[in-house]
Amino acid sequence: MNIQDSQEKQLLITLENIKRLTPRPQTSEAVPHGEFVMMFVIHAAMKKQEAEQKEGGCPSPGLMVSKLSELLQVSRPTASQMVSTLEDKGYIERVMSATDRRVIYICLTDKGQAVFGSRMKRYSEALSEIIEKVGREEIDQLILTCARLQEVVNEVRPRLMINQSPEQELQQDPV
């Protein structure tokens, strides 16, 4: 195995380990991790809109499903299904645009805000302890490195996502 192969292997292992760092809730919790991430994105969008509204921007009551699916990098049907699940639980609601009845926004309900806040508080406590133990400078460097890695992945990903069957790939790969 050459150095590049070893580095590729280590990068894959590291990325998988990073993925596992995010604490997963027990199955008895009301909101699975994927739904919590969706609530996080909706919450962040609502906070951003609040700030823009204070600066004189035009208000919108939430986030459209299309934007939500883009931010979560999931298909629109998957995002819609997750939205329906959270709506059934009373954590989010759909709000019709005041100017265009075809536009529907997704926002957190008061119940959703409470559940999100409680869960976020636990995450925040754990993250604060991690930052304290690792050190702010190393965490800042990790954040910068991950941002750079994300840029490069976004650049490379389109070339890797070509819809080819395994047979087509074999035909193109010289053996």
Side-chain angles (χ1 to χ4, degrees):
M1 179 180 287
N2 66 32
I3 292 173
Q4 183 178 354
D5 290 341
S6 176
Q7 200 168 30
E8 290 170 2
K9 179 181 175 185
Q10 288 301 312
L11 179 57
L12 277 174
I13 291 168
T14 300
L15 292 174
E16 282 303 311
N17 287 336
I18 288 172
K19 189 168 115 178
R20 291 184 188 113
L21 287 176
T22 305
R24 301 287 194 243
Q26 301 299 317
T27 55
S28 63
E29 289 201 45
V31 183
H33 181 73
E35 292 175 8
F36 172 76
V37 171
M38 179 175 270
M39 292 173 73
F40 180 88
V41 169
I42 294 168
H43 176 79
M46 290 173 66
K47 287 294 181 190
K48 181 180 177 186
Q49 289 166 354
E50 279 179 25
E52 289 171 357
Q53 188 174 0
K54 287 179 182 177
E55 293 176 6
C58 66
S60 60
L63 196 60
M64 293 184 349
V65 173
S66 58
K67 183 64 176 176
L68 188 57
S69 70
E70 177 187 319
L71 291 170
L72 292 171
Q73 297 181 347
V74 298
S75 68
R76 285 186 188 173
T78 299
S80 292
Q81 185 178 28
M82 290 173 71
V83 164
S84 293
T85 300
L86 288 172
E87 187 176 33
D88 291 346
K89 293 178 180 181
Y91 297 149
I92 63 173
E93 63 183 345
R94 299 173 200 248
V95 178
M96 190 181 307
S97 169
T99 58
D100 186 346
R101 293 176 44 137
R102 297 170 295 173
V103 177
I104 305 292
Y105 294 101
I106 308 302
C107 61
L108 292 175
T109 62
D110 290 341
K111 181 179 177 182
Q113 291 278 14
V115 168
F116 172 79
S118 171
R119 181 88 162 266
M120 197 61 217
K121 181 179 181 220
R122 289 186 302 184
Y123 275 141
S124 183
E125 289 167 358
L127 291 172
S128 291
E129 186 176 344
I130 290 167
I131 290 169
E132 180 182 318
K133 288 183 177 191
V134 173
R136 290 197 178 277
E137 285 182 24
E138 284 185 74
I139 294 295
D140 286 342
Q141 185 59 48
L142 175 63
I143 291 168
L144 288 171
T145 301
C146 287
R148 176 69 179 127
L149 183 61
Q150 184 66 49
E151 286 174 17
V152 174
V153 166
N154 288 338
E155 180 183 316
V156 171
R157 180 178 285 147
R159 292 192 301 270
L160 299 176
M161 303 307 280
I162 298 171
N163 291 328
Q164 292 183 342
S165 69
E167 293 80 22
Q168 289 171 320
E169 288 181 21
L170 285 175
Q171 291 170 359
Q172 291 181 355
D173 288 340
V175 179

